[in-house]
Amino acid sequence: MNLLDGKRCADSLIADIAKQVSRHVDAGLRKPHMTVVLVGHHAPSESYVKSKVTTCTLSGFESNLIRLPETVTEKELLWLIQQINADASTDGVIVQLPLPKQINAQRVINAIAPEKDIDGFHPANFGRMALGQKAFRPATAYGICKLLQFYQVPVAGKHCVVIGRSNIVGKPISIMLSNDFDIGNATVTLTHIETPRELLLEETRRADIVIVAVGIPGFVTPDMVKDGVTLIDVGINRLENGKIVGDVDFPAVAPKCEWITPVPGGVGRMTVAALMINTLMAYQNNFELA
Ligand SMILES: Nc1nc(=O)c2c([nH]1)NC[C@@H]1CN(c3ccc(C(=O)N[C@@H](CCC(=O)O)C(=O)O)cc3)C=[N+]21
């Protein structure tokens, strides 16, 4: 069993980003700048946003956090996004999800200028990604690809099973791994929580790579995977005792794995690192450096 250490990989990517930024700054340019919009006081969002802001500093970026009350209207949020779109000093913007019920999240995402959409959630970026064109790639999916690449886990020609069809993880990672990208050329099955149990087991038991993003602690058990599987755990579940666990019964399944991601210290760290890569790309596009 080998750990896919997301912290180690993210730290290495961030050190590399910081080097590139200092070259740009030495050449007289301003720093890259990320704006984060946080609505309300959702506890996990507070923690993710804090980690994004800290990582911006480590990357040599400027960042600012705009807080809005839980009661903000969609119209007010859309107005703020127009201001950020028009602000030449912001390279990339994140509107932290989830948003309160009175706000339609996709309508908000659609309002973000595609060239500042470092989450890669705008239809223009998602579509470009799916077509294999240059795009901001959804950060969690991109982070998983970077992690597999860092540890030189073979992907091309492998049978990959994704569990979970969300627009932010399952759908994009299944497209990216099946595309003819740098990390790709896998044969991918996209399954989800409605997949009949028998069919799900048939798929996962012969998979070389399993990626799980369902948000259920202990969902993946040893009987579901073959010996030597590579297991990517996207889940972040907070137990009542305050512990954070993924979607995999880690102690039981890890001995069967060739590679496995820990939670915490796995995919979450890579998500933040991928957002930094996207922000640097937005900045370099802005200054026509890339
Ligand atoms: N517009 C938007 N973009 C996102 O990228 C986005 C979002 N909304 N909403 C929520 C999800 C989740 N997400 C994570 C970020 C960092 C960790 C992370 O740093 N995790 C650490 C620590 C976990 C902890 O202690 O809380 C780890 O896994 O080691 C995890 C998950 C970004 N998301």
Side-chain angles (χ1 to χ4, degrees):
M1 188 273 285
N2 302 288
L3 271 192
L4 290 166
D5 183 342
K7 180 177 168 6
R8 175 166 166 245
C9 177
D11 287 349
S12 152
L13 293 174
I14 288 155
D16 187 59
I17 291 169
K19 255 186 238 155
Q20 293 189 55
V21 171
S22 65
R23 270 202 298 274
H24 296 320
V25 170
D26 288 347
L29 298 180
R30 66 162 173 80
K31 295 174 171 184
H33 186 141
M34 178 193 293
T35 293
V36 182
V37 179
L38 176 58
V39 178
H41 293 280
H42 182 239
S45 292
E46 291 279 353
S47 136
Y48 301 146
V49 162
K50 206 171 127 191
S51 126
K52 287 168 191 175
V53 168
T54 307
T55 311
C56 277
T57 306
L58 293 172
S59 304
F61 298 177
E62 301 279 1
S63 67
N64 68 310
L65 172 57
I66 302 178
R67 287 178 174 277
L68 295 172
E70 186 75 33
T71 54
V72 71
T73 65
E74 186 177 297
K75 206 173 155 202
E76 288 166 327
L77 181 52
L78 291 172
W79 182 86
L80 173 66
I81 287 169
Q82 295 314 323
Q83 306 308 303
I84 297 169
N85 286 345
D87 169 19
S89 72
T90 284
D91 301 295
V93 61
I94 291 170
V95 178
Q96 186 68 24
L97 303 176
L99 290 168
K101 288 163 297 295
Q102 74 273 19
I103 296 172
N104 179 321
Q106 193 62 52
R107 212 176 286 151
V108 170
I109 289 163
N110 292 2
I112 296 172
E115 64 274 15
K116 298 192 180 192
D117 169 41
I118 51 176
D119 268 324
F121 294 164
H122 189 285
N125 281 309
F126 199 98
R128 294 178 61 87
M129 177 277 293
L131 294 167
Q133 299 173 5
K134 190 179 176 199
F136 295 113
R137 302 181 197 178
T140 301
Y142 193 19
I144 292 168
C145 292
K146 284 287 180 187
L147 187 58
L148 291 167
Q149 187 177 45
F150 185 81
Y151 283 97
Q152 296 176 351
V153 177
V155 172
K158 299 300 178 187
H159 175 216
C160 177
V161 172
V162 178
I163 316 174
R165 59 180 152 189
S166 70
N167 290 337
I168 63 173
V169 183
K171 231 180 265 176
I173 192 70
S174 64
I175 296 168
M176 286 164 69
L177 292 179
S178 55
N179 260 348
D180 182 13
F181 285 164
D182 35 0
I183 297 294
N185 282 314
T187 297
V188 181
T189 307
L190 179 56
T191 71
H192 46 78
I193 208 71
E194 307 280 344
T195 302
R197 187 74 191 172
E198 280 308 303
L199 183 51
L200 179 68
L201 289 177
E202 202 179 294
E203 289 290 336
T204 59
R205 281 177 177 160
R206 59 190 180 90
D208 303 304
I209 302 173
V210 173
I211 299 177
V212 58
V214 293
I216 302 172
F219 184 83
V220 175
T221 47
D223 57 302
M224 292 175 68
V225 296
K226 71 176 182 188
D227 274 313
V229 71
T230 292
L231 193 41
I232 308 290
D233 189 350
V234 187
I236 306 175
N237 305 293
R238 274 151 226 267
L239 303 181
E240 278 170 28
N241 63 13
K243 251 186 76 175
I244 294 176
V245 298
D247 294 343
V248 175
D249 181 351
F250 188 96
V253 183
K256 285 191 88 170
C257 298
E258 169 94 33
W259 293 100
I260 186 167
T261 59
V263 177
V267 173
R269 294 301 194 116
M270 294 306 301
T271 299
V272 178
L275 283 171
M276 301 300 139
I277 298 176
N278 281 348
T279 305
L280 182 64
M281 187 169 107
Y283 166 86
Q284 290 176 334
N285 289 343
N286 242 338
F287 289 98
E288 295 176 354
L289 298 165

